[in-house]
Amino acid sequence: MKRYTDQVVCVTGAGRGIGRAVAERFAQEGADLILISNEEKDLLEAEADLRQTGCRTFACVTDVSDPEQVDQAVARALDKFGKIDVLINNAGIAWEEDFLDISASNWNKIIDVNLNGMFYVAQRVSRQMAEQGGGVIVNMASTNGLVGEEKYAHYNASKGGVVLLTKTMALELGAKNIRVNAVCPGYIRTPMSDAIDSPEFVAEYIRQRIPLGRAGTMKDVAGVFAFLASEDAAFIHGEMIVVDGGQLAM
């Protein structure tokens, strides 16, 4: 079923991980894609693979924490496609660090990408959507924005900010026919998580914390983004959809 034929979907953080999986899902469903990432090699590889599906693409190397770069990327994408129907606001970074050891520069780096960057992209694309008569935005939050986790104070704070940013956007943008929600993944196996966590840690984490008995996959999350952007979710607005295998039910 191709729910996104003739629609333009913008995905940030599209070069790898969940962002790339989300872009692949929308390509399978017929969308044209705007691909944004600050990692040029990953981005160009993703674009080449996605073009094999027959979708039209526009890729732009962009640091989402720089509002000028965001403005330029969106302007160039609009020159190509003329509209943006869906924004998947996904770009983010994370690493483990003890609270007492977090430097100001490390704190600012995560906040700049995960929260400020999400705001810059959302605001710029929302202005376009308001002009064109509507659209859908799905932000990447996290269960770390709903509950705390040790060694991730900066990441937790950034995702908590995304949760309330999403709710406020929903309150203000609904009248402009812009639907806004967020996805809150729990433990998902991604290149980023694999670089942080040992196999032994993953096995024990699953045993202790995830009732379904496995980690999530990137496809598990991509499907939720595709649902929330679709007409099947037409009356879902201002919600945080948790994808965690039951972890927060404990």
Side-chain angles (χ1 to χ4, degrees), residues 19-194:
R20 180 163 176 168
V22 170
E24 290 170 353
R25 177 61 182 264
F26 278 99
Q28 291 165 6
E29 297 205 34
D32 295 324
L33 293 170
I34 300 164
L35 307 170
I36 289 175
S37 172
N38 69 336
E39 298 289 344
E40 183 173 15
K41 181 176 181 291
D42 291 341
L43 182 63
L44 295 180
E45 288 178 356
E47 182 183 33
D49 288 345
L50 288 163
R51 282 183 173 174
Q52 297 299 314
T53 69
C55 72
R56 295 190 300 161
T57 65
F58 170 80
C60 189
V61 178
T62 305
D63 177 358
V64 297
S65 69
D66 182 338
E68 292 186 3
Q69 289 191 41
V70 169
D71 287 346
Q72 291 168 6
V74 173
R76 291 175 59 197
L78 290 172
D79 285 342
K80 181 175 178 66
F81 290 123
K83 64 173 183 172
I84 299 174
D85 298 293
V86 176
L87 168 63
I88 305 300
N89 209 4
N90 163 75
I93 56 176
W95 60 80
E96 282 189 354
E97 199 166 11
D98 288 337
F99 176 76
L100 295 179
D101 295 333
I102 297 173
S103 66
S105 61
N106 279 358
W107 175 272
N108 289 336
K109 186 173 183 179
I110 283 185
I111 297 297
D112 280 345
V113 174
N114 293 5
L115 183 55
N116 296 345
M118 193 153 295
F119 164 71
Y120 298 143
V121 176
Q123 185 184 63
R124 178 62 184 86
V125 174
S126 293
R127 288 169 175 163
Q128 170 62 28
M129 289 178 172
E131 290 181 7
Q132 69 193 31
V136 178
I137 297 173
V138 189
N139 292 327
M140 176 61 89
S142 173
T143 53
N144 288 64
L146 303 173
V147 297
E149 184 176 10
E150 301 92 336
K151 299 183 183 294
Y152 287 96
H154 32 24
Y155 182 75
N156 298 343
S158 72
K159 292 304 183 178
V162 171
V163 167
L164 285 179
L165 174 64
T166 300
K167 289 178 178 288
T168 306
M169 288 171 60
L171 292 174
E172 294 195 31
L173 299 177
K176 300 182 184 299
N177 195 34
I178 301 171
R179 248 186 345 103
V180 186
N181 292 289
V183 177
C184 296
Y187 194 85
I188 310 297
R189 295 294 300 271
T190 68
M192 185 165 66
S193 72
D194 287 347

